[in-house]
Structure formats: structure tokens, C-alpha cells
Amino acid sequence: MLYDLYMYTHDTLGICFWTLMMIPAGAAIVIMGLVHGHNQKKRKKEFEKKLEG
């Protein structure tokens, strides 16, 4: 079964076997980075408000 998947990716899709597994992993990393950046901006605003008042 794994061999069939390997042959399908190489012969039909023309890409490396590991590419199919890395696409979702890369997307997850990008999403985590965006969420972290958004949360960091919120924390920074709250911290600045505490410093002012």
C-alpha cells in the first residue's frame, strides 16, 4: 500500500513522496504563526494600557 502511494506520487503527480506530507505540515506552521502574531499584538496593546493607566 505504501509502495503504491509512493509510485502514484512519483509517476502520476511527478512530485516527491514527502511533499504530500509536508503541505499540511507547512500550512499548519503558517496558521500557527499568524495566530501567534495576532495574539502577541493583543498582549502588547493590553500591556501598553497597563503602563499608561
Side-chain angles (χ1 to χ4, degrees):
M1 185 171 140
L2 192 58
Y3 178 76
D4 293 332
L5 177 62
Y6 174 82
M7 292 306 294
Y8 175 74
T9 57
H10 275 272
D11 294 340
T12 305
L13 300 176
I15 59 174
C16 179
F17 173 72
W18 296 106
T19 304
L20 288 178
M21 292 177 233
M22 291 300 114
I23 290 172
I29 290 170
V30 169
I31 290 169
M32 285 174 50
L34 291 172
V35 169
H36 174 72
H38 177 72
N39 290 340
Q40 186 66 23
K41 286 180 185 177
K42 285 173 47 177
R43 279 187 235 120
K44 183 180 176 184
K45 287 180 184 178
E46 289 174 7
F47 179 71
E48 289 174 350
K49 283 182 184 179
K50 286 181 182 180
L51 284 178
E52 289 176 0

